[in-house]
Amino acid sequence: MDEVLARRARLKRITSLGQRTGYGLYAASLICGAIGIRWGYTPLLSTLIAVALVVGSMLLAPTIIMSHGIKAAEREERQAAAAGSTE
């Protein structure tokens, strides 16, 4: 397997895990917010919501950018391969 493809596959797995974790933290903050609406906010609950949002954002920002970069590289390789096969 090509070294570039292996590295890209590894980064794809890492970005996928980062996105799942980040979106999971967003979901956790929404659930905590619903709990707070229903039974009242406590300092602990408010802290959990804030931490989940901040950490989720810190994970999602770079992983979304990396994911778009990986998809663009794969698309470019497919287009180059298609152009090379028609010539």
Side-chain angles (χ1 to χ4, degrees):
M1 184 174 208
D2 187 17
E3 181 182 335
V4 173
L5 295 176
R7 183 178 296 164
R8 188 179 302 149
R10 185 175 55 88
L11 285 174
K12 198 172 191 177
R13 284 191 305 273
I14 291 170
T15 57
S16 176
L17 177 63
Q19 285 181 340
R20 283 190 306 238
T21 304
Y23 285 123
L25 286 169
Y26 275 12
S29 71
L30 285 172
I31 292 168
C32 289
I35 290 170
I37 289 171
R38 175 67 175 103
W39 288 289
Y41 287 96
T42 64
L44 175 64
L45 190 60
S46 298
T47 302
L48 285 174
I49 293 169
V51 167
L53 287 173
V54 168
V55 174
S57 296
M58 290 173 63
L59 283 172
L60 277 175
T63 57
I64 289 172
I65 292 169
M66 286 176 57
S67 174
H68 285 295
I70 291 168
K71 289 176 186 175
E74 289 173 344
R75 183 176 50 248
E76 186 176 315
E77 281 184 352
R78 281 193 309 270
Q79 289 173 347
S85 66
T86 59
E87 292 179 8

